Amino acid sequence: MRCLLSALLLPTLLQLPLALAQENEGEKLFRAMEKKITAAKVIQIVAEMDDQGEAAKFKASLILTKGNKARVRVRGDVKGQKMSTEMTSDGSKMKVLMMPGGREEEQSAKKLHGLFSTMVSRVGLIGGLRIVRVATGGKDRKDPDLEKLFRLSSFKLGGADSVRGHNAKVLTYTVHIGGNDADAARVTLWVDAKTLLPLKRAIVPQTSAMRITEYYDEFKLDAEVDAKTFEFPK
């Protein structure tokens, strides 16, 4: 009986070190990428997103500084309806204009760099904005716990691939939105093998029709930025 059990269990036991190694290497790659992004004084992103589940297409850009200055522009449509969001932060306060409807909000820009740098590392720019309504502080709001807001688990390193002519390393992981296991999504991330910055991301929530694919036409760190970028639109 012991010999029979050993024969049955041995293949599984032999595969465990390989599976654990893939998980460790996948998380190691992700953490190196995230550390690079969150440590940057300036983050610039140009992205495009396709959500097959909700017939949505968007283009967006982000410029973000360590001093919590930011400019976000999102343009696109959902099921044929045009939508746009423009957010500007001067480092102390933030104004958001959303269309249609012309809704305008003003909030605190406290800790904006930490929030957005973590968001674009873990769930992407447009995907992050569509999956969660991020808490950005304010007089009556607590600062968000980023580890709970975008909790990660189940890393796994995949094989090599290419994205638009760039060599990429592929990894997968699970993100738990708001720390809630019921709102988990599986993420596949293509990381530039040379720069260790994102090239492409696919997000599949387990309880939603969303099927988000986000491409990064530009993902730059620490480039020069014109101060006029963060002036509030008149």
Side-chain angles (χ1 to χ4, degrees), residues 115-179:
L115 176 66
F116 270 85
S117 63
T118 301
M119 186 185 78
V120 299
S121 297
R122 300 189 178 193
V123 290
L125 176 54
I126 316 172
L129 292 172
R130 281 180 60 73
I131 289 176
V132 295
R133 293 182 178 181
V134 292
T136 53
K139 293 182 180 180
D140 301 320
R141 299 182 183 179
K142 295 181 179 180
D143 295 329
D145 184 331
L146 300 181
E147 288 303 317
K148 289 183 179 179
L149 192 60
F150 308 112
R151 184 169 64 83
L152 305 182
S153 67
S154 305
F155 291 91
K156 187 175 181 180
L157 184 65
D161 201 355
S162 64
V163 178
R164 296 177 174 177
H166 295 270
N167 293 329
K169 298 179 180 180
V170 184
L171 66 134
T172 58
Y173 55 90
T174 298
V175 58
H176 306 267
I177 305 301

Side-chain angles (χ1 to χ4, degrees), residues 9-19:
L9 291 174
L10 185 57
T12 301
L13 293 173
L14 290 175
Q15 290 175 5
L16 281 176
L18 177 59

